[in-house]
Amino acid sequence: MGKFDTKETVYKYVIQKKANRRKGIPQWLQKEIVSETLGDEEFPCYHIMLSGKTSDRKVFYLYDSEHCYSMAEGEWRFVYDLMKLIDAEFYIPMYPLAPEKSCKDHFDVLIKTFSELISGFDMEKVILMGAGTGAGSALSLNMIAWQEGLAMPYKTVLLAPVLDAEYRDHALRLKMQQAKDSYSRAATSQGAIDFVREYWVKDYEGNMEYTSPIHEGTNYVTGKVLVASGARDCYNVHSRQFCRNMYDSGKKPYYFEYRNAGHAFYLDRKNSESRHLRKILQDFMTDSRSAIIDKYLYEVRHRGIISKRFPTIFKDEIATKYLANHKINSEDYKRRSEYRNLVSAATSRDYDEAVKLFLMEYPESTVVYVGCSLDTMFERVDNGRVMWYNLDSPGRIAVRNMYTTDSCEREKIIDRSVNDLTWLDEIDCEIDKGLLFIFRDILSYYKEDEVRDLMKMLYERYQGCNVLFEAHSQMELIRSNRYAERMGAEYRRRKFYMNYPASTIESWDPRYSVISSKPILDGIKMSSDWSPKLKIMFQVRRLFQGTRIMRIRLGYEKFAALFEK
């Protein structure tokens, strides 16, 4: 019999592991910090700060106890690293745990400790932070404090949150069991589930605000909320569901999901995902952008520049206004040539015009902007009737939420990687009213057979849909790859090209048709204020254009068949 097969075997395993885990602040850390012990002896709250430093920024940190254990040494090290990054004082309560104590005992201590501490704090300077089961407790604390009228911190951070101790949702449990994480087998075993219900949930079964906050509404969640999770973590389904609940209620969490990360990945100093998250936390918790956010915002700066340089071709009012009020650090980026700026302006214009034309034909259609990043195309093209989806990775969507507010109820968010095709399940549309997929600067990084397979998938699922994308010639592809290498940026090799777009698309499937194929510099008039070099490059490149904005239709619209009968 395995150690996770029954609640009895889990009980024995937990007791043995608890006996071997040290309690309190590790000795090595005591040499680096100043600490004081608050509360009673049984369940103290440790107040720690860097030696010789005090700070107005306070972090109330709830560690990952897995419902049973004292704080692990790796998590103490994580707190120490974070304390140095954000210059803050940490308050870390120790609390009752299973199997000796239950959820009720846990929150009796936690609420008392929290309410006593915050009475003397400026809540604008307080951050509520939790990891694992501690993140679940933090979310519960949000709800309970709201119900009892307690002041709440302006910021909440949830790392790899565990949000359902009762395992009420069978579908979520099945998804957890599919996770590519060694942690999932133990976490989803029947023995572990029965143990948590017996010794942790106990008499609080059905009190979701304490045991399973994911099943409660999000009205109680106030201020800014950051959620970070690994896609390989079995508890990732909790993070996704919670953030979806917030989106549905009109709130916008900052959600960062790391594709190759498992549970508690943030503890590993050498892990690239952990290093990235720590920079995100530094910016979020200190109201800064210098650690990493400015790298995301560089494209906003670029759109503002081309709007200012070529206003008759393309204009992005949101980017222009943002730049007027925010300085973006661009030291890590080399300046683009004037010709490249012109091409960017022309490309943005052509995409906007193609979408506007589609909306004239299908005014009540659905548009899915795949890989939207921080672009605000919806505001530029909105006809007042279209249903719009902005789709990108959780990290970019989170930064997007910092940059702008998608406030219109017709503008939805899908926080998924482009390669995670489960985003197709999020689209709610009436295909007979028109459906357009925008793949700006996405498909050229795929191989041709990958693009063909994607089109086939879209055709089979949404017959008659339209697809908008860039098509490079082979020569333009080679030129673009060489330019990227010279720029010294993170180099991604483009792979997909079409020298003869119409015949290539027809070779994929004769049911596909080209609606439009527009060279990106068509219709642009040379300006007298351009430099002589730009004028020459413009004239030469316009004769040998290698990039087109393609709009294709995959099959026939369903409603068209009605008229053909």
Side-chain angles (χ1 to χ4, degrees):
M1 182 178 289
K3 58 188 175 184
F4 301 115
D5 289 345
T6 67
K7 64 183 178 184
E8 290 78 17
T9 56
V10 172
Y11 182 94
K12 293 178 181 178
Y13 173 79
V14 167
I15 294 299
Q16 183 179 4
K17 187 173 179 180
K18 289 184 74 167
N20 294 329
R21 177 155 313 176
R22 294 181 180 180
K23 296 181 180 179
I25 304 173
Q27 232 175 6
W28 64 265
L29 182 56
Q30 293 178 24
K31 299 176 182 178
E32 305 292 335
I33 63 170
V34 174
S35 65
E36 63 174 331
T37 303
L38 310 174
D40 57 40
E41 291 184 7
E42 186 178 10
F43 302 112
C45 177
Y46 297 111
H47 172 209
I48 63 176
M49 67 192 84
L50 295 175
S51 298
K53 289 188 177 182
T54 59
S55 175
D56 291 335
R57 189 176 295 113
K58 318 289 185 183
V59 180
F60 193 73
Y61 185 86
L62 307 182
Y63 70 92
D64 185 6
S65 66
E66 301 179 66
H67 299 306
C68 305
Y69 309 115
S70 57
M71 190 166 168
E73 186 161 331
E75 198 161 354
W76 281 110
R77 191 174 297 279
F78 170 69
V79 166
Y80 176 59
D81 291 344
L82 198 57
M83 190 164 30
K84 291 188 292 183
L85 277 178
I86 68 173
D87 185 26
E89 298 177 13
F90 275 68
Y91 291 82
I92 307 175
M94 302 293 110
Y95 24 69
L97 298 166
E100 297 84 3
K101 302 290 184 179
S102 69
C103 172
K104 178 185 182 304
D105 305 311
H106 174 86
F107 281 103
D108 284 346
V109 170
L110 188 56
I111 294 169
K112 180 177 182 292
T113 303
F114 180 74
S115 59
E116 289 177 353
L117 280 177
I118 64 172
S119 60
F121 291 160
D122 175 4
M123 298 309 289
E124 291 288 325
K125 299 289 187 180
V126 177
I127 300 168
L128 176 60
M129 184 176 187
T133 55
S137 294
L139 194 55
S140 292
L141 187 58
N142 259 290
M143 170 173 286
I144 299 162
W146 179 75
Q147 291 174 340
E148 297 188 5
L150 296 176
M152 284 303 298
Y154 182 57
K155 293 178 182 176
T156 301
V157 176
L158 308 176
L159 305 180
V162 179
L163 304 177
D164 184 11
E166 293 195 38
Y167 290 88
R168 283 180 169 262
D169 192 322
H170 184 65
L172 282 183
R173 181 180 172 186
L174 289 177
K175 289 181 180 178
M176 290 176 66
Q177 291 172 335
Q178 296 168 4
K180 299 175 181 178
D181 182 10
S182 57
Y183 193 81
S184 63
R185 181 181 176 277
T188 61
S189 67
Q190 192 60 49
I193 292 171
D194 291 342
F195 173 87
V196 171
R197 286 173 175 168
E198 174 76 17
Y199 295 103
W200 176 253
V201 175
K202 213 168 183 178
D203 298 332
Y204 264 35
E205 182 179 357
N207 291 283
M208 297 302 175
E209 65 269 36
Y210 294 90
T211 61
S212 303
I214 194 174
H215 298 305
E216 289 292 334
T218 58
N219 292 332
Y220 59 89
V221 182
T222 58
K224 297 180 178 180
V225 179
L226 185 147
V227 182
S229 177
R232 292 176 177 268
D233 180 9
C234 62
Y235 292 111
N236 175 247
V237 295
H238 290 185
S239 297
R240 285 190 173 189
Q241 185 62 50
F242 169 69
C243 290
R244 182 56 51 203
N245 293 345
M246 289 201 72
Y247 281 129
D248 289 345
S249 66
K251 297 182 178 181
K252 303 212 169 159
Y254 304 138
Y255 177 45
F256 292 86
E257 182 177 289
Y258 294 88
R259 185 185 305 175
N260 298 313
H263 192 67
F265 70 96
Y266 46 86
L267 300 181
D268 186 353
R269 286 174 163 179
K270 298 179 181 180
N271 185 292
S272 60
E273 288 89 351
S274 175
R275 293 198 300 270
H276 182 275
L277 174 60
R278 292 176 190 219
K279 291 179 180 178
I280 289 292
L281 292 175
Q282 182 179 351
D283 279 344
F284 178 77
M285 298 172 82
T286 61
D287 292 312
S288 173
R289 300 194 319 265
S290 59
I292 201 168
I293 297 300
D294 271 345
K295 292 187 177 181
Y296 286 90
L297 292 174
Y298 180 74
E299 64 176 88
V300 176
R301 180 178 180 273
H302 178 63
R303 285 205 309 277
I305 288 173
I306 63 176
S307 295
K308 199 171 184 180
R309 183 68 182 91
F310 304 104
T312 59
I313 299 174
F314 172 74
K315 191 70 175 175
D316 187 330
E317 296 287 354
I318 295 177
T320 303
K321 289 178 181 177
Y322 189 87
L323 289 183
N325 297 301
H326 301 84
K327 183 179 179 181
I328 296 176
N329 182 6
S330 58
E331 293 178 359
D332 295 338
Y333 298 89
K334 294 183 180 180
R335 182 180 176 182
R336 296 194 185 195
S337 68
E338 276 292 89
Y339 173 71
R340 287 289 169 179
N341 284 337
L342 172 62
V343 168
S344 294
T347 302
S348 297
R349 178 208 63 168
D350 287 348
Y351 269 102
D352 285 4
E353 288 183 351
V355 176
K356 287 177 182 177
L357 181 59
F358 176 83
L359 294 181
M360 289 177 64
E361 299 174 30
Y362 307 95
E364 295 185 345
S365 61
T366 299
V367 175
V368 183
Y369 192 172
V370 182
C372 65
S373 195
L374 276 63
D375 194 1
T376 51
M377 186 189 292
F378 174 75
E379 284 79 0
R380 300 194 299 270
V381 304
D382 182 26
N383 65 351
R385 300 162 73 181
V386 64
M387 177 61 70
W388 190 280
Y389 289 90
N390 287 315
L391 182 151
D392 213 320
S393 65
R396 288 202 177 274
I397 291 296
V399 177
R400 180 187 179 88
N401 290 341
M402 298 178 187
Y403 161 58
T404 186
T405 302
D406 303 318
S407 56
C408 177
E409 62 180 10
R410 291 178 292 102
E411 187 177 16
K412 307 293 184 181
I413 289 292
I414 302 177
D415 51 353
R416 292 285 187 279
S417 166
V418 174
N419 296 320
D420 177 3
L421 294 177
T422 59
W423 58 261
L424 289 167
D425 299 327
E426 302 284 335
I427 300 169
D428 183 15
C429 70
E430 297 180 52
I431 188 65
D432 60 334
K433 291 185 177 180
L435 173 62
L436 174 68
F437 292 93
I438 304 171
F439 289 91
R440 176 166 181 177
D441 199 29
I442 294 287
L443 300 185
S444 62
Y445 295 102
Y446 288 42
K447 297 177 181 178
E448 182 178 344
D449 60 340
E450 294 173 330
V451 177
R452 185 177 62 246
D453 290 345
L454 177 60
M455 295 302 124
K456 181 181 179 182
M457 183 181 298
L458 294 178
Y459 168 75
E460 291 175 345
R461 191 156 181 165
Y462 303 106
Q463 182 178 339
C465 70
N466 283 227
V467 181
L468 192 65
F469 63 97
E470 290 161 70
H472 300 288
S473 68
Q474 186 176 20
M475 185 59 70
E476 182 62 30
L477 195 76
I478 294 171
R479 186 184 297 120
S480 178
N481 285 338
R482 286 176 178 172
Y483 177 79
E485 285 184 303
R486 290 198 306 271
M487 287 291 287
E490 185 177 346
Y491 179 53
R492 292 181 64 198
R493 182 177 177 80
R494 296 180 187 270
K495 303 171 184 176
F496 174 56
Y497 67 89
M498 292 193 296
N499 288 328
Y500 305 100
S503 59
T504 299
I505 289 168
E506 185 178 349
S507 71
W508 292 348
D509 193 315
R511 292 168 292 188
Y512 301 169
S513 56
V514 176
I515 305 300
S516 63
S517 175
K518 184 178 184 296
I520 57 172
L521 295 179
D522 269 16
I524 294 179
K525 296 181 180 180
M526 191 162 53
S527 174
S528 59
D529 68 346
W530 292 0
S531 68
K533 182 179 179 180
L534 178 59
K535 290 178 180 178
I536 293 172
M537 290 190 70
F538 172 72
Q539 290 175 324
V540 172
R541 292 294 178 85
R542 191 162 60 172
L543 293 174
F544 303 99
Q545 287 199 62
T547 302
R548 294 172 175 269
I549 304 299
M550 305 289 300
R551 176 182 156 197
I552 66 174
R553 183 168 58 215
L554 307 182
Y556 298 96
E557 298 93 333
K558 289 184 177 180
F559 69 83
L562 299 176
F563 296 99
E564 292 171 358
K565 290 182 178 179

